[in-house]
Amino acid sequence: MIRTPDARFAGLSDYPFTPHYVTIDSGDDEGTPVRVHYIDERPTDPAKASGETILLLHGNPTWSYLYRHVIPPLVAAGHRCVAVDLVGMGKSDKLTNRFMYTYRNHVDWLRKAVFERLKLDNLTMVCHDWGGLVGMLLLAEHPERFRRVVASNTSGPREGGPDLGPGWGYLAKFMQFTQRIEQFEPGVVVEDFTVSELSSRVRAAYNAPYPGDRYLHAVRRWPLLIPITADDEANPMIGKAWEKLETLQTPFLCVFSDQDHVTRGNYTHLSLRIPGATGQPHVTISGAHHFLMEDKPAEFTQPILDFIRTTR
């Protein structure tokens, strides 16, 4: 286990949030402790608190920095916001054994952090990209913990087999890219999938957690976890999850963007398979690429606020 030096995060652009940490068991044979970072922002005046808690889950290769422009208006509306850095990413610890990064472990690490340690309940989950894969697996195993879900530019967990669904061509290229490139820079990847041009300070902030290649095991492993064959080891877990998700009445909203070729078509995949998505006011944001929180943060935040208000 290694930890990114705090100095790497000094003076981050537009990221004024106080760091919080919980320590969990990694699940390896030695019981290695892993420190998980999270943001916990809430209204300063308790009288203005809504009683709602929003769990924000980032994808790859981002971290909680992705939500820096989303959290303040959610808090201003009275909601508590908890944004977790998935293990191996952001300010959370990085495991040196890259084979520890599996779907099962990611779900267990998140469960230990947010349920066992933080005792979070009655959640609104906002999940993006690979955060949707982990988040919806957690949702399937613990639906009683969630009030509603907002899924953004994600496919949700998908089983491997003959039909890999929309976006597979890009994902295959990304798999190769993550394994072959010698110097992986998350800031460059994020900018490649935004319409707006990122400043050098923003790109540096996305790169900050990873001062060397051994810090990038989680980032490089994510694409390899996607099941591509019918006998993939993750298929039983994903299949069991969909047995639950396809019966779930939890209110479920899709907020996608119009210029994202990564998850194009998955809006329908989710909205038609999950009963709680039926009749919801799903949103497609214009003028935004895959990382729509960078391109259109206000337009992304407003549907979340509206969804909470109309489903309370």
Side-chain angles (χ1 to χ4, degrees), residues 138-194:
L138 185 69
L139 169 68
E141 294 181 2
H142 301 278
E144 73 284 352
R145 294 277 193 164
F146 296 91
R147 287 181 175 174
R148 61 188 72 82
V149 178
V150 178
S152 168
N153 285 355
T154 182
S155 66
R158 300 191 78 135
E159 295 174 86
D163 180 15
L164 294 171
W168 169 244
Y170 160 73
L171 289 172
K173 293 178 181 179
F174 192 61
M175 279 184 180
Q176 295 180 343
F177 168 78
T178 57
Q179 304 311 301
R180 294 176 179 178
I181 189 168
E182 182 176 355
Q183 294 185 334
F184 190 110
E185 295 187 42
V188 173
V189 174
V190 174
E191 184 168 48
D192 283 346
F193 294 94
T194 57

Coordinates of all heavy atoms in Angstrom, one line a residue, residues 138-194:
L138 N -23.5 -2.1 -5.8 CA -23.8 -1.9 -4.4 C -25.3 -1.7 -4.1 O -25.8 -2.2 -3.2 CB -23.0 -0.7 -3.9 CG -23.1 -0.3 -2.4 CD1 -22.4 -1.4 -1.5 CD2 -22.5 1.1 -2.1
L139 N -25.9 -1.0 -5.0 CA -27.4 -0.8 -5.0 C -28.1 -2.1 -5.0 O -29.0 -2.3 -4.2 CB -27.8 0.1 -6.1 CG -29.3 0.3 -6.4 CD1 -30.0 1.0 -5.3 CD2 -29.5 0.9 -7.8
A140 N -27.7 -3.0 -5.9 CA -28.4 -4.3 -6.0 C -28.2 -5.1 -4.7 O -29.2 -5.9 -4.3 CB -27.8 -5.1 -7.2
E141 N -27.1 -5.0 -4.0 CA -26.9 -5.8 -2.8 C -27.5 -5.1 -1.6 O -27.8 -5.8 -0.6 CB -25.4 -6.0 -2.6 CG -24.8 -6.8 -3.7 CD -23.3 -7.1 -3.5 OE1 -22.7 -6.6 -2.4 OE2 -22.6 -7.8 -4.3
H142 N -27.7 -3.8 -1.6 CA -28.2 -3.1 -0.4 C -29.2 -2.0 -0.9 O -29.1 -0.8 -0.6 CB -27.1 -2.4 0.3 CG -26.0 -3.4 0.8 ND1 -26.2 -4.1 2.0 CD2 -24.8 -3.7 0.3 CE1 -25.1 -4.9 2.1 NE2 -24.3 -4.7 1.1
P143 N -30.3 -2.4 -1.5 CA -31.3 -1.4 -2.0 C -32.0 -0.7 -0.9 O -32.4 0.5 -1.2 CB -32.3 -2.3 -2.8 CG -32.2 -3.7 -2.2 CD -30.7 -3.8 -1.9
E144 N -32.0 -1.2 0.2 CA -32.7 -0.6 1.4 C -32.0 0.7 1.8 O -32.6 1.5 2.6 CB -32.9 -1.5 2.5 CG -31.6 -1.8 3.3 CD -30.7 -2.8 2.6 OE1 -31.0 -3.4 1.6 OE2 -29.5 -3.0 3.1
R145 N -30.8 0.9 1.4 CA -30.0 2.0 1.8 C -30.2 3.3 0.9 O -29.7 4.3 1.3 CB -28.5 1.7 1.8 CG -28.0 0.6 2.7 CD -27.8 1.2 4.1 NE -27.1 0.3 5.0 CZ -26.5 0.7 6.1 NH1 -26.5 1.9 6.5 NH2 -25.8 -0.2 6.8
F146 N -31.0 3.1 -0.2 CA -31.0 4.2 -1.2 C -32.5 4.7 -1.3 O -33.4 3.9 -1.4 CB -30.5 3.7 -2.5 CG -29.0 3.3 -2.4 CD1 -28.6 2.0 -2.1 CD2 -28.0 4.3 -2.7 CE1 -27.3 1.7 -2.1 CE2 -26.7 4.0 -2.6 CZ -26.3 2.7 -2.3
R147 N -32.6 6.0 -1.4 CA -33.9 6.6 -1.7 C -34.1 6.8 -3.2 O -35.2 6.7 -3.7 CB -34.0 8.0 -1.0 CG -34.2 7.9 0.5 CD -34.3 9.3 1.0 NE -34.6 9.3 2.5 CZ -34.6 10.3 3.3 NH1 -34.4 11.5 2.8 NH2 -34.9 10.2 4.5
R148 N -33.0 7.1 -3.9 CA -33.1 7.4 -5.3 C -31.7 7.3 -6.0 O -30.7 7.4 -5.2 CB -33.7 8.7 -5.6 CG -33.0 9.9 -5.0 CD -33.7 11.2 -5.1 NE -34.9 11.3 -4.3 CZ -34.8 11.7 -3.0 NH1 -33.7 11.9 -2.4 NH2 -35.9 11.7 -2.2
V149 N -31.7 7.2 -7.3 CA -30.4 7.1 -8.0 C -30.4 8.0 -9.2 O -31.4 8.1 -9.9 CB -30.1 5.7 -8.5 CG1 -28.8 5.6 -9.3 CG2 -30.1 4.7 -7.3
V150 N -29.3 8.7 -9.4 CA -29.0 9.5 -10.6 C -27.8 8.9 -11.3 O -26.7 8.9 -10.8 CB -28.8 11.0 -10.3 CG1 -28.5 11.8 -11.6 CG2 -30.0 11.6 -9.6
A151 N -28.0 8.3 -12.5 CA -26.9 7.7 -13.3 C -26.5 8.6 -14.4 O -27.4 9.1 -15.2 CB -27.4 6.4 -13.8
S152 N -25.2 8.9 -14.6 CA -24.7 9.8 -15.5 C -23.6 9.2 -16.4 O -22.6 8.8 -15.9 CB -24.2 11.0 -14.8 OG -23.4 11.9 -15.7
N153 N -23.9 9.1 -17.7 CA -22.9 8.6 -18.7 C -22.2 7.4 -18.2 O -21.0 7.3 -18.0 CB -21.8 9.7 -19.0 CG -22.4 10.8 -19.9 OD1 -23.5 10.7 -20.3 ND2 -21.6 11.9 -20.1
T154 N -23.0 6.4 -17.9 CA -22.6 5.1 -17.4 C -23.4 4.0 -18.0 O -24.6 4.3 -18.4 CB -22.6 5.0 -15.9 OG1 -22.1 3.7 -15.5 CG2 -24.0 5.2 -15.3
S155 N -22.9 2.8 -18.1 CA -23.7 1.7 -18.7 C -24.3 0.9 -17.6 O -25.1 0.0 -17.8 CB -22.8 0.8 -19.5 OG -21.8 0.2 -18.7
G156 N -23.8 1.1 -16.3 CA -24.1 0.2 -15.3 C -23.3 -1.1 -15.6 O -22.6 -1.2 -16.6
P157 N -23.3 -2.1 -14.7 CA -22.6 -3.3 -14.9 C -23.1 -4.1 -16.0 O -24.3 -4.2 -16.2 CB -22.8 -4.1 -13.5 CG -24.1 -3.5 -13.0 CD -24.1 -2.1 -13.4
R158 N -22.2 -4.6 -16.9 CA -22.7 -5.4 -18.0 C -21.9 -6.7 -18.1 O -20.7 -6.8 -17.9 CB -22.5 -4.6 -19.3 CG -23.2 -3.3 -19.4 CD -23.2 -2.7 -20.8 NE -24.2 -3.4 -21.6 CZ -25.0 -2.8 -22.5 NH1 -25.0 -1.5 -22.5 NH2 -25.8 -3.4 -23.2
E159 N -22.7 -7.8 -18.4 CA -22.0 -9.1 -18.5 C -21.3 -9.2 -19.8 O -21.7 -8.6 -20.8 CB -23.1 -10.2 -18.4 CG -23.8 -10.2 -17.0 CD -24.9 -11.2 -17.0 OE1 -24.6 -12.4 -16.7 OE2 -26.1 -10.8 -17.2
G160 N -20.2 -10.0 -19.8 CA -19.5 -10.3 -21.0 C -20.2 -11.4 -21.9 O -20.9 -12.2 -21.3
G161 N -20.1 -11.3 -23.2 CA -20.7 -12.3 -24.0 C -20.7 -11.8 -25.5 O -19.9 -10.9 -25.8
P162 N -21.4 -12.4 -26.3 CA -21.4 -12.0 -27.8 C -21.8 -10.6 -28.0 O -21.2 -9.9 -28.9 CB -22.4 -13.0 -28.4 CG -22.5 -14.1 -27.4 CD -22.3 -13.5 -26.1
D163 N -22.8 -10.0 -27.3 CA -23.2 -8.6 -27.5 C -22.7 -7.8 -26.3 O -23.2 -7.8 -25.2 CB -24.7 -8.6 -27.5 CG -25.3 -7.1 -27.7 OD1 -24.4 -6.3 -28.1 OD2 -26.5 -6.9 -27.5
L164 N -21.7 -7.0 -26.6 CA -21.1 -6.2 -25.5 C -21.7 -4.8 -25.5 O -21.3 -4.0 -24.6 CB -19.6 -6.0 -25.8 CG -18.8 -7.3 -25.6 CD1 -17.4 -7.2 -26.1 CD2 -18.9 -7.9 -24.2
G165 N -22.7 -4.5 -26.3 CA -23.4 -3.3 -26.2 C -22.7 -2.1 -26.8 O -21.6 -2.2 -27.3
P166 N -23.4 -0.9 -26.8 CA -22.9 0.3 -27.4 C -21.6 0.8 -26.7 O -21.5 0.6 -25.5 CB -24.0 1.3 -27.3 CG -24.8 0.8 -26.2 CD -24.7 -0.7 -26.2
G167 N -20.7 1.4 -27.4 CA -19.5 2.0 -26.8 C -18.4 1.0 -26.7 O -17.3 1.4 -26.3
W168 N -18.6 -0.3 -27.2 CA -17.6 -1.3 -27.0 C -16.3 -0.9 -27.8 O -15.2 -1.1 -27.4 CB -18.1 -2.6 -27.4 CG -17.0 -3.6 -27.5 CD1 -16.5 -4.3 -28.6 CD2 -16.1 -4.0 -26.4 NE1 -15.5 -5.1 -28.3 CE2 -15.1 -4.9 -27.0 CE3 -16.0 -3.7 -25.1 CZ2 -14.1 -5.5 -26.2 CZ3 -14.9 -4.3 -24.3 CH2 -14.1 -5.2 -24.9
G169 N -16.5 -0.4 -29.0 CA -15.4 -0.1 -29.9 C -14.4 0.9 -29.2 O -13.2 0.7 -29.2
Y170 N -15.0 1.9 -28.5 CA -14.1 2.9 -27.8 C -13.5 2.2 -26.6 O -12.3 2.4 -26.4 CB -15.0 4.1 -27.3 CG -14.3 4.8 -26.1 CD1 -13.1 5.5 -26.4 CD2 -14.6 4.5 -24.8 CE1 -12.4 6.1 -25.3 CE2 -13.9 5.1 -23.8 CZ -12.9 5.9 -24.0 OH -12.2 6.5 -23.0
L171 N -14.2 1.4 -25.9 CA -13.7 0.7 -24.7 C -12.5 -0.2 -25.0 O -11.5 -0.3 -24.3 CB -14.8 0.0 -23.9 CG -15.8 0.8 -23.2 CD1 -16.9 0.0 -22.7 CD2 -15.2 1.6 -22.1
A172 N -12.6 -0.9 -26.2 CA -11.5 -1.7 -26.6 C -10.3 -0.9 -26.9 O -9.1 -1.3 -26.5 CB -11.9 -2.5 -27.9
K173 N -10.4 0.2 -27.5 CA -9.3 1.1 -27.7 C -8.7 1.6 -26.4 O -7.5 1.7 -26.2 CB -9.7 2.3 -28.6 CG -10.0 1.8 -30.0 CD -10.5 3.0 -30.9 CE -10.9 2.6 -32.3 NZ -11.3 3.8 -33.1
F174 N -9.6 2.0 -25.5 CA -9.2 2.5 -24.2 C -8.4 1.4 -23.4 O -7.4 1.7 -22.7 CB -10.3 3.0 -23.4 CG -9.9 3.9 -22.2 CD1 -9.2 5.0 -22.4 CD2 -10.3 3.5 -20.9 CE1 -8.8 5.8 -21.3 CE2 -9.9 4.3 -19.8 CZ -9.2 5.4 -20.0
M175 N -8.9 0.2 -23.5 CA -8.1 -0.9 -22.8 C -6.7 -0.9 -23.3 O -5.7 -1.0 -22.5 CB -8.8 -2.2 -23.2 CG -10.0 -2.6 -22.4 SD -10.6 -4.3 -22.8 CE -12.0 -4.5 -21.7
Q176 N -6.5 -0.9 -24.6 CA -5.2 -1.0 -25.2 C -4.4 0.3 -24.8 O -3.2 0.2 -24.4 CB -5.2 -1.1 -26.7 CG -5.8 -2.4 -27.2 CD -5.9 -2.5 -28.7 OE1 -5.8 -1.5 -29.4 NE2 -6.0 -3.7 -29.2
F177 N -5.0 1.4 -24.8 CA -4.3 2.7 -24.5 C -3.8 2.6 -23.0 O -2.6 3.0 -22.8 CB -5.3 3.8 -24.6 CG -4.8 5.1 -24.0 CD1 -3.9 5.9 -24.7 CD2 -5.3 5.6 -22.8 CE1 -3.4 7.1 -24.1 CE2 -4.8 6.8 -22.2 CZ -3.9 7.5 -22.9
T178 N -4.6 2.2 -22.1 CA -4.2 2.2 -20.7 C -3.0 1.2 -20.4 O -2.3 1.4 -19.5 CB -5.4 1.8 -19.8 OG1 -5.9 0.6 -20.1 CG2 -6.5 2.9 -19.8
Q179 N -2.9 0.2 -21.2 CA -1.9 -0.8 -21.0 C -0.6 -0.5 -21.7 O 0.5 -0.9 -21.3 CB -2.4 -2.2 -21.4 CG -3.7 -2.6 -20.7 CD -3.6 -2.4 -19.2 OE1 -2.8 -3.0 -18.5 NE2 -4.6 -1.6 -18.7
R180 N -0.7 0.3 -22.8 CA 0.5 0.5 -23.7 C 1.2 1.8 -23.4 O 2.4 1.9 -23.7 CB 0.0 0.4 -25.1 CG -0.4 -1.0 -25.5 CD -0.9 -1.1 -27.0 NE -1.3 -2.4 -27.4 CZ -1.8 -2.7 -28.5 NH1 -2.0 -1.8 -29.5 NH2 -2.2 -4.0 -28.8
I181 N 0.4 2.8 -23.0 CA 1.0 4.1 -22.8 C 2.0 4.1 -21.6 O 1.6 3.6 -20.5 CB 0.0 5.2 -22.7 CG1 0.7 6.6 -22.8 CG2 -0.8 5.1 -21.4 CD1 -0.3 7.7 -22.9
E182 N 3.1 4.7 -21.8 CA 4.1 4.6 -20.7 C 3.8 5.7 -19.7 O 3.9 5.4 -18.5 CB 5.5 4.9 -21.3 CG 6.6 4.8 -20.2 CD 8.0 4.9 -20.8 OE1 8.1 5.0 -22.1 OE2 9.0 5.0 -20.1
Q183 N 3.5 6.9 -20.1 CA 3.2 8.0 -19.1 C 1.7 8.3 -19.2 O 1.3 9.0 -20.1 CB 4.1 9.2 -19.4 CG 5.5 9.0 -19.1 CD 6.4 10.2 -19.3 OE1 6.0 11.1 -20.0 NE2 7.5 10.3 -18.6
F184 N 0.9 7.7 -18.3 CA -0.5 7.9 -18.3 C -0.8 9.2 -17.5 O -0.5 9.3 -16.4 CB -1.2 6.7 -17.6 CG -2.7 6.7 -17.8 CD1 -3.3 5.8 -18.6 CD2 -3.5 7.6 -17.1 CE1 -4.7 5.7 -18.7 CE2 -4.9 7.6 -17.2 CZ -5.5 6.6 -18.0
E185 N -1.5 10.2 -18.2 CA -1.9 11.4 -17.6 C -3.4 11.6 -17.5 O -4.0 11.9 -18.6 CB -1.2 12.6 -18.3 CG 0.3 12.6 -18.2 CD 0.8 13.9 -18.8 OE1 0.3 15.0 -18.6 OE2 1.8 13.8 -19.6
P186 N -4.0 11.3 -16.4 CA -5.5 11.4 -16.3 C -6.0 12.8 -16.8 O -7.1 12.9 -17.4 CB -5.8 11.2 -14.8 CG -4.6 10.3 -14.4 CD -3.4 10.8 -15.1
G187 N -5.3 13.9 -16.5 CA -5.7 15.2 -16.9 C -5.9 15.3 -18.4 O -6.8 16.0 -18.9
V188 N -5.0 14.7 -19.2 CA -5.1 14.7 -20.6 C -6.3 13.9 -21.1 O -7.1 14.3 -22.0 CB -3.8 14.1 -21.2 CG1 -4.0 14.0 -22.8 CG2 -2.6 15.0 -20.9
V189 N -6.6 12.7 -20.4 CA -7.8 11.9 -20.8 C -9.0 12.7 -20.5 O -10.0 12.7 -21.4 CB -7.8 10.6 -20.0 CG1 -9.0 9.8 -20.2 CG2 -6.5 9.8 -20.3
V190 N -9.1 13.3 -19.4 CA -10.3 14.1 -19.0 C -10.6 15.2 -20.1 O -11.7 15.4 -20.6 CB -10.2 14.7 -17.6 CG1 -11.4 15.6 -17.3 CG2 -10.2 13.6 -16.6
E191 N -9.5 15.9 -20.4 CA -9.6 17.0 -21.4 C -10.1 16.4 -22.8 O -10.8 17.1 -23.5 CB -8.4 17.8 -21.6 CG -8.5 19.0 -22.5 CD -7.3 19.9 -22.5 OE1 -6.2 19.5 -22.5 OE2 -7.6 21.1 -22.4
D192 N -9.6 15.3 -23.1 CA -10.0 14.7 -24.4 C -11.5 14.4 -24.5 O -12.0 14.3 -25.6 CB -9.2 13.4 -24.7 CG -7.7 13.6 -25.1 OD1 -7.4 14.8 -25.5 OD2 -6.9 12.7 -25.1
F193 N -12.1 14.2 -23.3 CA -13.5 13.9 -23.3 C -14.4 15.0 -22.6 O -15.3 14.7 -21.9 CB -13.7 12.6 -22.6 CG -13.1 11.4 -23.4 CD1 -11.8 11.0 -23.1 CD2 -13.8 10.8 -24.4 CE1 -11.3 10.0 -23.9 CE2 -13.3 9.8 -25.2 CZ -12.0 9.4 -24.9
T194 N -13.9 16.2 -22.9 CA -14.7 17.4 -22.6 C -14.8 18.3 -23.8 O -13.9 18.3 -24.6 CB -14.1 18.2 -21.4 OG1 -12.8 18.6 -21.7 CG2 -14.1 17.4 -20.1

